[in-house]
Amino acid sequence: MLIKTPKSWALKECDTTPEAVFKQRRHFLKTGAAALAGGLAGGLIGHHAFAAWPKAGEMLANIQKSGFDPGEATTPLKEVSSYNNFYEFGTGKDEPMSQAKDFKTDPWTVEIAGACAKPGRYDFEDLVSPHQLEERIYRHRCVETWSMVVPWVGVPLADVIKRLEPTSKARYVAFETLHDPARMPGQNRAVLQWPYVEGLRMDEALNPLTLLTVGLYGQALPPQNGAPLRLVVPWKYGFKGIKSIVKITFTEDQPPTSWNRSAPHEYGFYANVNPEVSHPRWSQAKERRIGEFFKQDTLPFNGYGEEVEDLYTSMDLHKYF
Ligand SMILES: Nc1nc2c(c(=O)[nH]1)N[C@H]1C(S)=C(S)[C@@H](COP(=O)(O)O)O[C@H]1N2
Ligand SMILES: [Mo]
């Protein structure tokens, strides 16, 4: 499709064009066509923060430190990027690192659908770049009882959602991972129903802790950690943190989630970290921090109770696990 109208922000530039602006405009011309072709509403794109989005392992610019820090030792990048769950690239913890090594994430578009005023196909940078990138050090607790402490980089999901203007019918937000067995070899096996899907209730999605994540340790996400765009929901088990997102849908009904669909009595929709509710096959009372020998107590809501317990006051968390 031919693009005739330049973006509104591109018109606002003054006569001196610094190199960075020139580069980001060129980048827009390269990638913006897909977004417009998909029906992007005018005026939604902010300024790109980058001439080109950094590749995995390259440093991200303009990251603001945040107050989110549990004050615990962070897990070395080497561990965070070599001990992974990402079944699209194998079920072994060491497989995603090797199998996702050449995974291409540029260009990357995200389809926005459902009950909102700004549906369409967006270049992922256009979803993220207008917002301030933040570093947030979060505890990361897997349902299999290992844990890490990770300095993620991202933007509050709430900021992005607000710009997409969900309607009053939007009670949930559904997320979908790329489905492309040629690029994701694990999808040639039916270990899960593909694509991987996840969901949050709207108030969970809007909670300030929920981070739409593009990096870790100041760098663009390595493929095995969900490049270029993943979710991080620190008070929930790790499987809610869906990786390599290509679609976000605002829904009226609770969306299906991969692990709940696969084993409903083992994995609930909520998946809040809860030391009092055992997994049918193991206790959730303790966890092993990667790199440490002794187990430690698991905290309710993974230690984020103050921030999130109001979301669940009227709910029986044994029933809604
Ligand atoms: N698409 C997709 N997302 C996924 C998974 C997956 O298999 N596929 N695994 C989940 C699980 S079980 C966990 S614990 C976290 C692990 O994130 P990390 O590898 O960055 O630590 O990713 C989650 N996101
Ligand atoms: Mo997990």
Side-chain angles (χ1 to χ4, degrees):
M1 186 189 282
L2 215 81
I3 310 303
K4 289 181 189 125
T5 325
K7 302 303 305 168
S8 54
W9 66 261
L11 293 172
K12 285 193 209 109
E13 281 161 21
C14 49
D15 21 18
T16 55
T17 305
E19 189 186 26
V21 173
F22 176 69
K23 278 189 183 155
Q24 77 198 15
R25 186 200 280 150
R26 269 183 42 211
H27 179 69
F28 167 74
L29 291 173
K30 187 162 63 76
T31 61
L36 281 174
L40 178 71
L44 197 60
I45 295 183
H47 291 261
H48 286 300
F50 301 100
W53 194 266
K55 293 189 193 347
E58 291 178 1
M59 297 311 281
L60 293 158
N62 301 319
I63 301 172
Q64 193 167 61
K65 297 271 174 199
S66 76
F68 295 96
D69 183 351
E72 297 163 31
T74 53
T75 307
L77 174 60
K78 195 170 167 293
E79 311 280 355
V80 178
S81 60
S82 65
Y83 189 85
N84 300 101
N85 268 338
F86 199 173
Y87 277 21
E88 287 84 340
F89 295 103
T91 52
K93 306 278 179 249
D94 57 339
E95 283 181 296
M97 180 175 58
S98 58
Q99 294 206 31
K101 191 162 48 70
D102 301 317
F103 182 55
K104 277 216 165 37
T105 58
D106 179 25
W108 190 273
T109 59
V110 181
E111 186 186 344
I112 303 295
C116 72
K118 310 272 178 173
R121 187 173 291 281
Y122 295 74
D123 189 285
F124 102 92
E125 294 146 87
D126 295 329
L127 280 184
V128 173
S129 294
H131 302 286
Q132 173 68 54
L133 289 182
E134 269 181 57
E135 177 172 275
R136 297 188 172 192
I137 305 176
Y138 279 161
R139 295 192 193 90
H140 181 48
R141 170 63 157 80
C142 180
V143 76
E144 290 155 280
T145 77
W146 51 264
S147 67
M148 300 186 188
V149 177
V150 183
W152 301 109
V153 179
V155 301
L157 178 63
D159 291 357
V160 175
I161 288 180
K162 282 172 195 156
R163 234 170 76 241
L164 299 170
E165 298 177 27
T167 69
S168 58
K169 284 202 164 150
R171 296 176 56 232
Y172 294 87
V173 189
F175 302 86
E176 214 174 289
T177 294
L178 177 70
H179 186 201
D180 187 350
R183 293 161 69 194
M184 295 180 139
Q187 289 178 336
N188 292 302
R189 291 172 56 207
V191 284
L192 283 173
Q193 192 178 315
W194 309 112
Y196 193 100
V197 291
E198 258 303 338
L200 295 170
R201 213 171 57 193
M202 184 56 94
D203 57 351
E204 299 179 317
L206 293 175
N207 187 276
L209 284 174
T210 306
L211 197 69
L212 196 55
T213 300
V214 297
L216 49 73
Y217 275 102
Q219 320 175 354
L221 279 175
Q224 60 270 35
N225 292 95
L229 185 68
R230 67 168 299 167
L231 202 60
V232 172
V233 195
W235 71 96
K236 294 177 182 281
Y237 293 120
F239 65 84
K240 297 297 282 187
I242 181 172
K243 296 176 172 180
S244 304
I245 296 166
V246 293
K247 188 171 181 185
I248 301 176
T249 310
F250 297 98
T251 66
E252 191 162 10
D253 300 322
Q254 183 177 301
T257 66
S258 280
W259 282 102
N260 177 252
R261 195 149 65 178
S262 159
H265 45 269
E266 298 193 1
Y267 310 106
F269 173 82
Y270 285 94
N272 291 322
V273 174
N274 192 341
E276 286 174 18
V277 177
S278 296
H279 183 282
R281 292 183 279 134
W282 58 80
S283 163
Q284 292 290 7
K286 296 208 177 270
E287 66 194 57
R288 187 188 305 284
R289 186 69 45 89
I290 297 294
E292 287 175 22
F293 182 74
F294 292 105
K295 289 188 177 176
Q296 62 187 69
D297 289 343
T298 285
L299 302 167
F301 300 110
N302 203 24
Y304 299 98
E306 221 172 283
E307 287 95 336
V308 301
E309 61 197 358
D310 286 356
L311 298 173
Y312 309 106
T313 38
S314 60
M315 289 173 67
D316 175 357
L317 295 178
H318 286 79
K319 185 171 171 213
Y320 298 99
F321 59 95

